[in-house]
Amino acid sequence: LIVNYSLILMLIDSTLICMFTSMQDTSQHILLTKKETAELLRCSIGTIDGYMRKGYIHSYGYGRKVLFKRQEIVDGLIKR
């Protein structure tokens, strides 16, 4: 059995790079609760409700749970 350690190390390096790259991509899709969104924007939960009614921010959810995509909130701040 011949082991090529340099090939193994190269494969490990490329695998780790792929893993870290995919982790960075998924961090852009972190979901926030209404309270976390209010803390991020430094406003009240009532203000978040008003922004939702006016269509300033888009919410996602299921049942009674309301969630926001962090990147959409940040992008909305940048646009203004």
Side-chain angles (χ1 to χ4, degrees):
L1 177 69
I2 299 173
V3 178
N4 187 344
Y5 289 109
S6 61
L7 178 62
I8 292 173
L9 289 175
M10 189 172 55
L11 289 172
I12 290 172
D13 284 344
S14 64
T15 302
L16 288 173
I17 289 171
C18 289
M19 286 175 51
F20 286 123
T21 303
S22 66
M23 287 172 58
Q24 290 173 352
D25 292 342
T26 58
S27 70
Q28 302 301 317
H29 300 289
I30 294 176
L31 296 174
L32 302 174
T33 64
K34 196 182 289 187
K35 181 180 177 183
E36 292 169 334
T37 304
E39 290 172 0
L40 177 67
L41 298 178
R42 295 185 179 159
C43 64
S44 69
I45 293 174
T47 301
I48 298 298
D49 289 331
Y51 288 167
M52 288 169 50
R53 277 193 302 278
K54 293 176 183 176
Y56 294 158
I57 57 176
H58 183 75
S59 62
Y60 302 87
Y62 55 94
R64 297 179 63 197
K65 191 77 168 174
V66 178
L67 300 170
F68 305 91
K69 288 185 179 177
R70 180 183 178 90
Q71 192 59 44
E72 287 182 1
I73 301 298
V74 171
D75 290 345
L77 289 172
I78 293 170
K79 287 180 187 175
R80 292 182 180 253

